[in-house]
């Protein structure tokens, strides 16, 4: 089981609506999480605009700042 699976199970069990990830790096754990509203903060994101846009098309509520 991956770390994202554990996070997703907690979100689903609690019926959580919002997810904040501090320290997103390449987005491997941020992007796959499915939730109504998601925000990621990082002083130095390590993913391309293309990857961000690819995931944004799957989850338009994603925000990375
Ligand atoms: C180990 S990586 C995060 C991995 C990611 N959470 C995951 O599970 O794939 C650490 C990240 O924290 C970021 N970081 C460092 N200091 C930070 C700060 N003060 N606030 C937010 N992010 C920070 C770094 O830029 C780096 O991208």
């Amino acid at each position: 089981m991956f770390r994202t699976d554990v996070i997703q199970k907690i979100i689903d069990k609690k019926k959580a609506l919002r997810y904040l990830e501090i320290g997103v790096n390449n987005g491997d754990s941020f992007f796959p999480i499915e939730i109504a509203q998601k925000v990621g903060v990082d002083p130095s994101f390590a993913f391309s605009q293309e990857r961000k846009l690819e995931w944004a098309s799957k989850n338009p509520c994603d925000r990375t700042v």
Side-chain angles (χ1 to χ4, degrees):
M1 181 180 275
F2 294 106
R3 190 159 26 112
T4 48
D5 296 326
V6 174
I7 296 168
Q8 190 68 54
K9 277 188 186 296
I10 293 168
I11 287 168
D12 295 345
K13 184 168 183 174
K14 290 186 167 288
K15 296 183 172 45
L17 298 175
R18 293 182 294 274
Y19 173 75
L20 169 65
E21 186 167 312
I22 299 171
V24 172
N25 195 35
N26 60 11
D28 279 353
S29 60
F30 179 80
F31 288 123
I33 297 297
E34 295 179 6
I35 194 163
Q37 187 181 28
K38 189 165 53 165
V39 174
V41 295
D42 200 305
S44 179
F45 289 110
F47 51 80
S48 65
Q49 271 309 96
E50 287 76 21
R51 185 163 195 221
K52 183 177 173 178
L53 289 172
E54 179 191 326
W55 280 97
S57 66
K58 296 176 190 167
N59 188 350
C61 294
D62 285 10
R63 294 285 180 274
T64 47
V65 292

